[in-house]
Amino acid sequence: MTSHNSQEYLIALFKDLTQQPKESEWLEFKVNNDSPDEIGQYISALSNSAAILRKTSAYVLWGVKNDDQSIVGTTFRPKKAKVGNQELEIWLLQLLSPKINFCFHELTVESQPVVLLEISPAYRHPVQFQGIEYIRVGSIKTKLKSHPEKERELWQ
């Protein structure tokens, strides 16, 4: 997903998101967790949750402590990350179904390197990663099939 938002807009968005009182169904904070599988699961869960909540986007912010939302920076560099010989973004796209838009933005906020992952909400079908649909219940990522009430909401 390409974004046409300016650096200034993205930095302001990043700062605004850190003002949320805590993680939610559509927002996740990370410091350095760069596990490709985890990222794919979060894309699925956050996209599906954003659809239920009728959010225009969901987000993962790297470089932010979960307990107090302080900006501490990250070593995660998604544009340089690879899975085997593939770029991370291409690898993720191949394992998501249906294909949805998402975009990694590498920024500098308060002199710290950070990453903002912007994720489009699911449409028409729940988003799967590696054949499994995920959802957020509060700030917990879980399999959608464990929560039939959420699955019903998503299909509506």
Side-chain angles (χ1 to χ4, degrees), residues 122-136:
Y123 61 96
R124 290 188 300 198
H125 304 287
V127 174
Q128 301 175 354
F129 177 70
Q130 294 181 325
I132 300 171
E133 299 159 343
Y134 293 89
I135 192 77
R136 294 275 285 207

Side-chain angles (χ1 to χ4, degrees), residues 1-3 79 89 101-105 116-119:
M1 169 175 162
T2 58
S3 174
K79 304 291 185 198
E89 211 164 327
N101 288 327
F102 63 90
C103 186
F104 290 98
H105 304 281
L116 170 67
L117 172 56
E118 190 175 6
I119 305 164

Side-chain angles (χ1 to χ4, degrees), residues 24-27 42-59 100-101 118-123 127 134-138 150 153-154:
S24 66
E25 288 89 352
W26 56 275
L27 178 62
Y42 276 113
I43 291 172
S44 168
L46 291 162
S47 177
N48 291 331
S49 293
I52 290 172
L53 295 169
R54 296 185 177 22
K55 294 284 186 181
T56 56
S57 294
Y59 303 94
I100 60 162
N101 288 327
E118 190 175 6
I119 305 164
S120 292
Y123 61 96
V127 174
Y134 293 89
I135 192 77
R136 294 275 285 207
V137 178
K150 296 275 188 191
E153 279 185 76
L154 192 53

Side-chain angles (χ1 to χ4, degrees), residues 15-130:
K15 287 180 177 180
D16 284 348
L17 291 169
T18 64
Q19 299 306 306
Q20 292 292 314
K22 61 182 180 178
E23 292 179 329
S24 66
E25 288 89 352
W26 56 275
L27 178 62
E28 174 72 19
F29 300 123
K30 296 285 178 210
V31 175
N32 288 318
N33 185 340
D34 62 355
S35 163
D37 286 321
E38 283 273 315
I39 294 168
Q41 291 170 15
Y42 276 113
I43 291 172
S44 168
L46 291 162
S47 177
N48 291 331
S49 293
I52 290 172
L53 295 169
R54 296 185 177 22
K55 294 284 186 181
T56 56
S57 294
Y59 303 94
V60 181
L61 276 60
W62 278 268
V64 178
K65 286 174 61 178
N66 188 25
D67 55 352
D68 64 2
Q69 294 83 34
S70 60
I71 298 171
V72 296
T74 185
T75 58
F76 177 47
R77 299 289 175 269
K79 304 291 185 198
K80 293 182 180 177
K82 293 196 181 257
V83 181
N85 289 330
Q86 278 190 312
E87 294 176 11
L88 174 63
E89 211 164 327
I90 301 298
W91 183 83
L92 289 167
L93 270 173
Q94 289 177 343
L95 297 174
L96 288 167
S97 177
K99 306 293 184 239
I100 60 162
N101 288 327
F102 63 90
C103 186
F104 290 98
H105 304 281
E106 295 183 33
L107 308 165
T108 301
V109 177
E110 297 178 4
S111 302
Q112 297 291 335
V114 297
V115 176
L116 170 67
L117 172 56
E118 190 175 6
I119 305 164
S120 292
Y123 61 96
R124 290 188 300 198
H125 304 287
V127 174
Q128 301 175 354
F129 177 70
Q130 294 181 325

